[in-house]
Structure formats: structure tokens, C-alpha cells
Amino acid sequence: MRSDEPTGRDIPVDDDLSVGAPTSYAAGVPAVARALRISVDQMGPTRATRTLLRVNQPDGFDCPGCAWPDPAQTRRAEFCENGAKAVAEEATTRRVTPELFARHSIDDLHESTDHWLGSQGRLTTPMYKAAGADHYEPVSWDRALDVLATHLRGLDDPDEAVFYTSGRTSNEAAFVYQLFARAFGTNNLPDCSNMCHESSGSALIETIGVGKGTVSIEDLEQAELIVIAGQNPATNHPRMLSTLATAKERGAVVVAINPLPEVGLKAFRDPQTVRGVVGGGVPIADDFLQVRLGGDQALFQAVGHLLLQRPDVLDRDFVERHTSGFDAYVQARATVDWPLTERATGLSRSQIERLADRFAASGATVVCWAMGLTQHRHSVPTIREIVNLLLLQGNIGRPGAGVCPVRGHSNVQGDRTMGIYEKPAEPFLAALDAEFGITAPRAHGYDVVESIRAFRDRRARVFVGMGGNFVRATPDSAVTEEALRQADLTVQISTKLNGSHAVTGREALILPTLGRTERDEQLTGSQRVTVEDSMSMVHASQGRLRPASADLLSEVAIVCELARRVLPDVAIDWAAMRADYRTIRAHVARVVPGFESYESRIDRPGGFRLPSGARDTRTFATSTQRARFTVNPLHVIDCPPGHLILQTVRSHDQYNTTIYGLDDHYRGVHQGRRVVFVSPEDLTELGYADGDHVDLVSVWPSPDGGTQERRAPRFRVVSYATARGCAAAYFPETNVLVPLDATAETSNTPTSKSVVIRLEPATADRAPVR
Ligand SMILES: Nc1nc2c(c(=O)[nH]1)N[C@H]1C(S)=C(S)[C@@H](COP(=O)(O)OP(=O)(O)OC[C@H]3O[C@@H](n4cnc5c(=O)[nH]c(N)nc54)[C@H](O)[C@@H]3O)O[C@H]1N2
Ligand SMILES: Nc1nc2c(c(=O)[nH]1)N[C@H]1C(S)=C(S)[C@@H](COP(=O)(O)OP(=O)(O)OC[C@H]3O[C@@H](n4cnc5c(=O)[nH]c(N)nc54)[C@H](O)[C@@H]3O)O[C@H]1N2
Ligand SMILES: [Mo]
């Protein structure tokens, strides 16, 4: 390593951390200014302007930020501050070249912050780490793909390979990727969804027969009541605030349910309207229920009880014609244990009654939610209770009403539709077999948590990551790192450098790929791809920028070239699919219901909406062929005295494990990330004060009957108006605290929003890198 070169290790961590007051409104002109500053910094002024004007336009590319849909009338600038950051992160002119890998050993990279790794720029060349080597070296594509193919062909069993996907992958790439995995012989297709909305999918499939939301933007705009539980839209889905502002103007009531008083739920200034620029902004939430972490199930049960006391507000006709299980639900909700409900929710009975009144008064209700509801032990029952509430008033399958799980990654929903799933349904596999003349495996594969266990126990030997940052995004960082290091080969198909590149198996590959903003040239010319948003709209996306390097392959090309090498005897024309993505879409149209006339329907600006029985015709593909009321035992998170329940959240300056910057503007945190938010009352009770430095220690029952402890050192305490008994800190720094076995029932999602911790005086006098 050259001595004049600063490394990620040398960057001081949190020396400049400062904490001020949270802001009082979201977005507005300061947000646009921040977006432009970041874009210009990464791309220069010309490229920044040209690129940002193509985000979410009919002839442009889909924003890689979040999965919030585009309104029917696309405005000239349909992006937000955080979308602009996501674009800048990808379209940056900075480059990672082989010299960087020559200068920095893998250990060096491992000791660098995620922020530093990401800010090195776009990956440009395939890189290989040989067994025993401590550096990556450049390698040709031919050799790289041969290394991977040789490993895969050498496995004793196809189930020793794991094929992970993150939700930025296009429909086309996802389809060929899962096809390859299944033709190879495994359903080991874990994805980021396993850590994200799996609980929503599990609950919705069972109860309404489709694992997706049932509303469109128009429904939100027409709703009379919108409930937003467990979501921080100002940071994570900023364009949703424009929709909410429109709904408010039409008279909708908005209720926010959250342990944190998130700023965007208070007031929003739309930077794209005159009023947003000069005015005080639109207040969003009419009511804010400061629920305790994990208290939503108790809340929704109590509201269900209260609604049942008022037969006049029920939709009898809907209940009789379209649902099952009503009588059992009525019986289960006949009484409510108010002291227990108040303890579980941290809310007063009158607050809960007011919410029930709002449901009763509404003729059309939408419930939106995100990670605050999906990452608890009892997430699936909690979401089932939302369905119960909506069914009572017939709020599914009619305008202005429905369920709205707000998705994260821009194409995470599409990837699942394309078959990225470890537990595929039989009709999908049968259609795949018929189309390609293969016999796809029927045994379920590993999800994310099971994959980590499989590597830990040497049941899995080859890891392939189609995007994402598996090692940093997953729980129990120390255990996960150790597990992945056991692999024979780890392969990351990536646009940017991240922590997963620094935790390798015996051998490792980095395969650099095109991003969504870039031109994708194949034999038949420039290709477009498609994505599906949170509201089931499928539309085209076409990048126009010159690729970050001449040596990048598209995700589709990588999979097809690999498949040709691994499966020479399988009669699938991979080359034709690579050469012309229309060929892939023609296959999809025959395999996946709802994609008929795929090619012509994506010519239409805005694309097309996938059909949904629940939404369109009130037909419910459940075990009873009706929408199902369910009875769910109440779960209250058990938190011993002197302990807090910790939720792990995103700051305003990150995209999952990608750290754009060190500010959490809306919450008043600047130039640092190792903070823990605790209420002033709890701090006093626990004997700490704002500004103290503490270690976070999580406690978890160990198999031998004792307790296991995990420690995340040195966090600055921030006195903050969160719910009593609850704390918040950022991930991925806190993933080390989440035990691998702490997962949600049914969905197996890590419980990243309910980690039982205690605070201890900091043991180190300097913050660690992670
Ligand atoms: N800029 C940006 N955009 C993103 C992302 C990003 O990292 N950065 N990530 C994308 C992805 S993959 C996803 S999944 C989404 C995530 O979007 P969010 O779900 O909004 O993300 P989190 O930061 O995890 O915030 C969880 C919210 O739920 C609240 N909450 C936590 N626990 C509970 C609870 O028990 N009950 C209730 N009622 N509320 C609770 C928290 O206080 C917080 O407001 O955003 C997507 N968009
Ligand atoms: N403690 C805790 N853990 C969590 C969560 C939490 O709330 N708390 N949230 C969970 C959630 S909701 C999610 S979705 C997961 C996210 O898990 P992942 O999706 O695995 O993680 P990301 O940080 O989104 O992945 C970022 C990397 O993706 C790569 N990338 C970006 N764009 C592209 C592309 O177009 N193609 C390819 N091939 N690669 C690309 C880049 O190399 C970048 O470094 O994390 C989960 N982990
Ligand atoms: Mo997510």
C-alpha cells in the first residue's frame, strides 16, 4: 500500500458528530438543494441535469430509489431528494479500478466504513481472489465465469449453491436468473424480501389470496381515511408525501402510528408546487399515535373490538358474500383487556377509541405500512389484524380503499413476480417446466436466514449475490461473516463496492455490472428492461448514459453466459435471450399470468397494471375461496426491567447499507451515525443523560437456558421524543445485535425492529469502524 494514500481505516469515525433539534417539516427547497449538490458533486453539472430529467419519465429510466409508483400525469421533474441521491450513487463519475484493489488488501477493505467503500465509485473490472490470496486481482470475464461454472459443476448437490437477489434487478434479469437456478436444480433463491416485506406477503396471501397491495395512487387520492403505520415516508418514500398532500386537499384524514414523531408525517412542503416553495407546507397527519414498538397488534385488535360494538358501521353484505371466519373473529374480539392493551401499545384507551371513531366515520380506508410492522416476531399476525379491520367495513376491492404495503427496493415486487422465491408455487413451476422442457426442483429452498445457517454448517458452499450487500444487510453480523468465510466461493454481481466484497469465501469474484441509468447494448441493439412498482404497475425502463466502463456486462448477459457454461446439455437458448430481451419477455408472457401481450403493453407510457382478484373482482384465492378473518393470539414483547426494545432504522442519508452521507437531517443528527435515541424519561430512569456514550448490549435466550449477549460498542445517547421503553439506532451498525434465530413467525424475517437491549457505559474511548 502506498503510504500517502488515505484508507477507509484512517477516516475518523464520528469525531464530528453533532446533534441538534429535529426539523419541523419535510422536503421543500432545502431538499432539492441538497439533491442537486450531491448530484453535481458525483456527476458534474451537465450530466447531473441530463440524468435527473430522465428519472421516471416515460422514455427514461425507473428511479432506482424506492418502489413508490409514478403518478399518471408525470411531472417534468418526477424525483425527490433521496431518488436523486440513489441516481447520483450509480451515475457517479468516480471509478474503482484494479489499482484500488492492488493498494488495499481485503482486510483493509473490511476495516473500512461502508461510507468510504461506496464513495470510491463504480466497479469497472471483474476481480478474482484466489485461495490463500489477500488481495483481489483483475481477471477476464471468460476466466471469471469459468471459475464460477467449475465450482457449480463440482458441487455434490445443486442445493449447495445459494443464489441471492436484491430488489434492483430488472424483471428480465430476475427471470433468467431464477430459470438458471432451477434448471441447475435448486430453489435456493433467497432475496432481500425475506428481510423486508415477507411478513406482508405471508399475511396477505393467506387472507386475501394475493401477497401484494390492493390499491393504486388514485385509491389513495380518493380515500377518506389513510392510516400510515410503521413507515417513515419523508426519508424512504418521499414522493408518497405528494400523494398524501393531494389526498389531504380532497379531505382525507391521515393517522400516523409510530413510536417516533417522524417529520414528514407532521408537515410537508412540496418543492414542485408554488405553495410548497413559499408556504408553510401541508400538515399531513391529523392524529399521531405514539405506539410502543410491536404494539400495533394490540391496537388493531382493540379497534376491531370497538367496531364490532357498532353494527351500523359494518359492511354486512361484503362480510356475508366475500369472507369466511367472521363468527370466530367476533367471538375472539368480544372482549378487550384494556390494561394489557394500554401496556402493549403505550396508548390510552381514549386515543384508541378515537382511532376506532375515525375508522367508523370513513367510507373508504387505506392502511399503509412498511418495516415498522414487518420486522417483529408477531409481524404476520399484526398484518392479519389489519386485514380483519378492513374486511369489517368492506374496505378491500373498492375505490379509495385497501391494503398498501409500501415496498422498498424499486423492483423487489417484480423480482418475486418473476419467480425469485425459495418457496415457489406449483403452477409457476409447472408453467416453467412446460415452457423450457426442464424439471424444476419442487423442494423448497433456503431463505436468507436459512442460507446463513447453511453456510455456517457447511451445507452450502457457493454463494452468488445478484446485487445487494448480503453480509451487511443480514442480522448477526459476526455469525454471518463467519458463515460466509466458510464458503468455497463467494461471488458478488455489483455496481458498487460494499462490505460483502470484503468478506469472502476461500475464493471470491466481483463481477461488475450495468446499472439502470446506463445504455444496455446487446447483439440486436439497445435493450430496455421492465420493473413492477409497489402498486403492480409494470413499465419499461431504459438507461441512456454511457456505461461506467467498457468492461461491464449486464445482469442478463452474466446469467446467460454462466448458464451456457454450467448447463451445456440443457436445451435453453440462452444466447437468444441475451441478444434480445424481447425473447425473455415472450417467455415470461407464456409463464407468468397477467403478462399477455407484454411487449406491446410496455410501449404505452406508464405500462400496465397486473390483475389482482382481490382488487379487481373481489375474488380471493385463499383456502376458503373467500377473504379470511383470522384469530391471532395477542403477542406482547417481553422486556425485562432495566432494558429497552431497540428498533434499527434508516437515517436520511442512506439507502439500506449504502451510506450516502453522515447526516440524518430531519432527526437533527449531523456528521455521525453511532447514536441511540431514547426518551428523556427512560434516560433519567436508567441513569443516563443526553451526550453520554454507551454500549448497546442485546440479550437473547441461549439454547442451554442461559442468555447470549451481543455488543455494539460506543453510541452517543440522544434524548429524543420516542415512545417509552423504546430505543432506535441505525442499521447496519446495529445488525451485530440481532440474533440469527430472532425471526418472525411464518415469514422468518429477522426481528430488526424489536431487539431487547440494555445500555452500559461505553467500554471503548473511540468509535469502531462498524
Ligand atoms: N432514502 C431511502 N429510501 C429507501 C430506503 C433507504 O434505505 N433509503 N430503503 C428502501 C427499502 S428496501 C425499504 S424496505 C423501505 C423502508 O421504509 P421504512 O419502513 O419507512 O424504513 P425504516 O427506516 O426501517 O423505518 C421504519 C419506520 O417504522 C417505525 N416503526 C418501527 N417499529 C414500529 C412498530 O412496532 N410500530 C409502528 N407503528 N411503527 C414502527 C419507525 O419509527 C420508522 O418510522 O424504504 C425504501 N426506500
Ligand atoms: N437491522 C436491519 N437490517 C435490515 C433492515 C432493517 O430495517 N434493519 N432492512 C432490511 C431490508 S428492508 C432490506 S430490503 C435489506 C436490503 O438488503 P440488500 O438489498 O442486500 O442491500 P442494499 O444495501 O440495498 O444493496 C446495496 C448494493 O447493491 C448493489 N447494487 C445497486 N444497484 C445495483 C444494480 O442495479 N445491480 C446490481 N447487480 N447491484 C446493484 C451495490 O453494489 C450496492 O452496494 O436489508 C435488510 N436489513
Ligand atoms: Mo426493503
Side-chain angles (χ1 to χ4, degrees), residues 90 164 166-168 192 195-196 371 375 409 466-470 473 493-498 513-515 555 648 650 655-658 731 735 738 752-753:
E90 177 177 307
Y164 175 70
S166 162
R168 285 218 185 152
C192 66
M195 299 178 269
C196 184
M371 295 306 99
Q375 298 175 335
H409 267 302
M466 178 59 84
N469 186 357
F470 188 85
I493 300 169
S494 314
T495 52
K496 299 288 297 266
L497 196 58
N498 65 44
T513 192
L514 290 176
E555 293 178 346
T648 60
R650 294 152 171 81
Y655 193 93
N656 300 336
T657 67
T658 298
F731 91 99
N735 287 29
V738 186
S752 325
K753 296 285 191 278

Side-chain angles (χ1 to χ4, degrees), residues 19-43:
V19 179
T23 56
S24 57
Y25 67 90
V29 170
V32 173
R34 283 195 298 274
L36 288 177
R37 199 167 56 236
I38 289 176
S39 306
V40 171
D41 182 40
Q42 294 273 0
M43 302 186 243

